[in-house]
Amino acid sequence: RIFYMFLAKVGLLFFISVVEIGDYSRIPDSTEKSEKGDAFWNTFEDQVSRIKDSFVFNTKLKKIEGQIRRGDTFINALSRDGIEYSTVFKLFHDIRGVYDLKNIFPGQTYSLYLYQGDLKKIEFEISYNRSLSITKNTRGHFSAEIVTIPIRIRRAVVKGTIKNSLFFSILSLGEKPELADMLASLYEYDIDFNRDIRAGDCFSLMVEKKYLNREFIKYGHILAARFSNQGKTIDVVRYRDPEGKTA
């Protein structure tokens, strides 16, 4: 019992000595705590304010949609939408290191975003899965980046029996007319699809289907096909030779 009391006294003395020699400067006083708290909330409020301003700015943008016409230049197209020639000319030169806007063709679409009449942003369709995003900074300079949406390729097997024509048989399976043209081109030297086709002929094929944002956009290659015409079966297989050529 006396031994335990001795240990308790030693422990108490050690604790008191540590407190006495401790560095009280590391413990922030109430003023420092207040200053740090104010700094935190000021920073937080600034961030909220910037997000709010950005939201208000974006909701106030006026959107104009357009399309490239035959014979258009990019400058002419945007001038038609009320954008000043000098603005489009500057934009054209600011981003030419990223994309040359001379490379346009009829049918391409674009969206203009204006704030109080001032052009702030452009979304320009390069292809079905690539777009050009152009933005204007606070100093009046334009910058651009090319945004690519990944294409997913899936393989599908399509089988059918001819009733009247290959075209309508393909459509009856829920496929697109392009697939009938692709299949007919594979057998153009073996089958005359205007004369030789008979009801009861059958076909099967494996084809690539390309999807963008889960939506079908186009066919890829037919990888293999079998066509039975009047009792004669012809198989076609796509292959790649050691030099990388396909047939």
Side-chain angles (χ1 to χ4, degrees):
R1 183 175 180 180
I2 295 173
F3 176 73
Y4 287 117
M5 290 177 64
F6 173 75
L7 288 179
K9 289 180 179 180
V10 171
L12 180 60
L13 290 172
F14 177 77
F15 174 75
I16 293 172
S17 64
V18 170
V19 171
E20 287 178 347
I21 64 174
D23 184 3
Y24 288 96
S25 63
R26 294 183 182 178
I27 304 176
D29 59 19
S30 59
T31 304
E32 185 180 351
K33 288 181 179 179
S34 177
E35 290 176 353
K36 288 185 176 180
D38 291 342
F40 169 79
W41 285 111
N42 288 338
T43 302
F44 178 76
E45 289 174 355
D46 287 342
Q47 292 176 347
V48 171
S49 179
R50 283 195 292 268
I51 294 172
K52 181 180 178 181
D53 291 343
S54 176
F55 176 78
V56 172
F57 173 77
N58 287 323
T59 55
K60 289 185 177 181
L61 289 177
K62 178 183 178 182
K63 182 178 181 181
I64 300 176
E65 296 183 335
Q67 188 175 61
I68 301 298
R69 302 175 185 175
R70 185 178 299 276
D72 265 349
T73 64
F74 194 74
I75 294 177
N76 290 342
L78 268 62
S79 297
R80 185 169 57 240
D81 293 315
I83 308 301
E84 294 183 359
Y85 178 88
S86 57
T87 300
V88 186
F89 185 79
K90 186 178 189 315
L91 178 157
F92 189 92
H93 285 276
D94 282 354
I95 71 163
R96 60 184 175 181
V98 177
Y99 188 80
D100 189 353
L101 287 169
K102 292 180 181 178
N103 301 322
I104 62 173
F105 54 85
Q108 287 178 299
T109 59
Y110 58 85
S111 299
L112 309 178
Y113 297 87
L114 293 83
Y115 179 72
Q116 297 180 351
D118 186 26
L119 180 63
K120 295 295 184 182
K121 183 178 179 181
I122 301 176
E123 296 290 343
F124 179 73
E125 176 196 38
I126 298 175
S127 64
Y128 60 87
N129 74 315
R130 297 172 69 229
S131 64
L132 181 68
S133 179
I134 306 170
T135 55
K136 184 180 182 181
N137 63 24
T138 55
R139 294 173 296 178
H141 296 297
F142 291 94
S143 60
E145 65 173 338
I146 296 176
V147 180
T148 301
I149 303 174
I151 297 174
R152 296 186 179 274
I153 300 177
R154 300 174 185 173
R155 294 179 177 181
V157 175
V158 179
K159 297 181 179 180
T161 301
I162 303 294
K163 293 183 179 180
N164 45 33
S165 71
L166 176 63
F167 180 82
F168 287 108
S169 297
I170 289 289
L171 292 184
S172 69
L173 296 172
E175 301 296 337
K176 306 295 182 183
E178 294 84 359
L179 186 59
D181 295 333
M182 292 169 61
L183 184 59
S185 67
L186 291 180
Y187 292 96
E188 59 183 344
Y189 297 110
D190 302 293
I191 303 172
D192 186 335
F193 282 89
N194 292 321
R195 299 180 182 180
D196 298 340
I197 295 298
R198 299 290 184 272
D201 288 352
C202 58
F203 60 88
S204 61
L205 59 99
M206 177 180 288
V207 64
E208 295 174 334
K209 290 186 174 183
K210 298 184 178 182
Y211 292 83
L212 187 66
N213 293 328
R214 298 184 179 182
E215 182 179 349
F216 173 78
I217 52 171
K218 63 187 297 186
Y219 293 104
H221 300 291
I222 293 178
L223 304 176
R226 169 171 290 183
F227 203 104
S228 296
N229 174 234
Q230 300 184 45
K232 180 182 178 182
T233 299
I234 305 173
D235 293 331
V236 176
V237 178
R238 177 183 172 84
Y239 72 95
R240 185 185 300 272
D241 65 20
E243 297 180 356
K245 298 179 180 179
T246 57

